[in-house]
Every structure is written in C-alpha cells, then in structure tokens.
Amino acid sequence: LVESPFAPLDLPAPFTAKEMSTHIVMLGKSSAAIAKSFSRGQKSNINQARRKGVQVRLAGNEQEIEQYYEIYLQTLKRWSTTKGKAYPRELFLSLYRQQDPNVQFWLAEAHGVLIAGILVLAWRGSLVYWHGCAQKEYFNLYPNNLLHATVIEKGCADGAAYYDMGPSMGLPGVVKFKESFGAQQHLFKAYRWKT
C-alpha cells in the first residue's frame, strides 16, 4: 500500500514501512503564475520545444498506444538496468481501452512523428505522473519538458490541486529536472504486509 504525502496511513504491524519521497507541483492558481516559478533554463527549453514544432495532445487511438509502447521498449534498452522488467503491452492497451478520462496518455510529436509520451493518472484533484518514454534522437526538441508543462497547464485549467511528478529513485538529474518546474520534495511511506 502506498500512501499519499497528504494522507498518511500510519499502518500498524505487521505492516512494515519504507520511507520514500516524491516531487510535487502545487497547482490551485493560474498556469501563468506557476510558470513564473519554472527555472530560467526550463522556460527556455519549453519555448524551444514550441519553436521547433513539438505538439502535445492526448492519444487518439490504439495505434498510438502501440507506438508509445515501442518507444517505451527503446527507452528500456537505453537504460539497460531494467532488462526483463518491461510492463506488458496489454497493460497500456487495456488502460487506453477503458476510455477513462482519468487515464491520460499525453503524446508529443514533431513533424508527424511520435517522439515521446507520458501517462498521467487523475483522481479527486490530483494528477500523478506514472509512466513515460522518449526517443533519444529527439531529446534536442525538449518533448518531455513540453509534456509536463502541458499537464501542469491543463491541471490548472481543470482545477486540480497538485501534480505529483513521482519518486526520482535517488537520481540527481531527475530531481533537478522536476525542481526546475518548481516541484518540491514530499515524503511518504510505502507499506508491505510482513507476516
């Protein structure tokens, strides 16, 4: 069981708790006001993505989910440390087939080519970044920057309270990326039943 940083569970034994952290952008104001807290470099990267023709939108069909999955497999190869730990294709297709507005596949494309994507889960005023992938050869177009900026903008427009960008697994570069959006670290616990 994984608690929300804003709703601690404090579960008793035989649960054992593992301390974790995530980075959260508090919404609840205009996207323009939140964008002011982005680092100068982040603002520049987002502007470059737009100038270079990157477009962000929600997935529109299963074929795009298939393309997302292929980019995900490329991403796993690049990381190489997660060999054999891929989520199955059917998981993503099943999530998409539900046609639930709270399961959001955001895609970035440039010049008609799908280059990156993220999966955001929405629930009761919260947005949670759960999964993402990108083609390395398009990093110079900054698609991930524009993807997250778009989710923040849409979350503000929809009245969401916060955008949880997820744990960074102790990777300093990932922490820096999230903090460039004004995200702050929040602690939470993951519980496991231990008999």
Side-chain angles (χ1 to χ4, degrees):
L1 296 172
V2 180
E3 69 184 12
S4 161
F6 305 115
L9 295 173
D10 296 322
L11 297 177
F15 285 101
T16 58
K18 178 181 177 182
E19 291 275 352
M20 299 182 74
S21 70
T22 188
H23 276 78
I24 294 175
V25 178
M26 298 307 295
L27 304 179
K29 49 188 171 184
S30 74
S31 58
I34 291 172
K36 286 181 181 176
S37 68
F38 293 178
S39 72
R40 188 186 337 176
Q42 188 57 262
K43 291 174 188 172
S44 172
N45 293 341
I46 293 165
N47 288 333
Q48 283 190 64
R50 290 183 174 125
R51 280 198 307 273
K52 292 177 178 182
V54 177
Q55 305 271 326
V56 171
R57 59 178 175 77
L58 289 167
N61 56 56
E62 285 190 25
Q63 183 182 0
E64 291 176 341
I65 303 306
E66 293 277 4
Q67 289 177 289
Y68 177 98
Y69 190 78
E70 291 305 315
I71 296 171
Y72 165 52
L73 293 179
Q74 292 172 24
T75 302
L76 286 181
K77 282 182 190 173
R78 192 169 65 245
W79 292 341
S80 72
T81 56
T82 54
K83 201 171 189 177
K85 295 182 182 176
Y87 290 113
R89 181 184 311 266
E90 193 56 38
L91 170 64
F92 298 95
L93 289 169
S94 178
L95 284 169
Y96 180 76
R97 287 174 185 147
Q98 291 179 46
Q99 292 297 295
D100 184 338
N102 295 314
V103 178
Q104 304 168 0
F105 281 93
W106 289 95
L107 305 177
E109 62 183 7
H111 315 295
V113 177
L114 187 63
I115 60 175
I118 60 176
L119 175 53
V120 175
L121 305 176
W123 181 250
R124 293 189 177 179
S126 66
L127 299 171
V128 179
Y129 164 65
W130 183 72
H131 192 269
C133 57
Q135 295 194 57
K136 185 178 181 179
E137 57 268 35
Y138 293 101
F139 281 1
N140 65 327
L141 301 184
Y142 304 104
N144 291 316
N145 306 67
L146 189 56
L147 280 162
H148 289 288
T150 301
V151 169
I152 289 168
E153 186 176 324
K154 182 75 166 64
C156 290
D158 291 347
Y162 64 90
Y163 178 39
D164 185 340
M165 298 184 83
S168 302
M169 309 316 239
L171 301 170
V174 177
V175 170
K176 185 177 178 182
F177 176 78
K178 293 173 183 177
E179 290 179 348
S180 71
F181 285 95
Q184 300 290 317
Q185 185 180 49
H186 290 260
L187 300 177
F188 68 96
K189 292 185 181 100
Y191 290 89
R192 187 175 296 277
W193 178 272
K194 191 168 184 179
T195 58

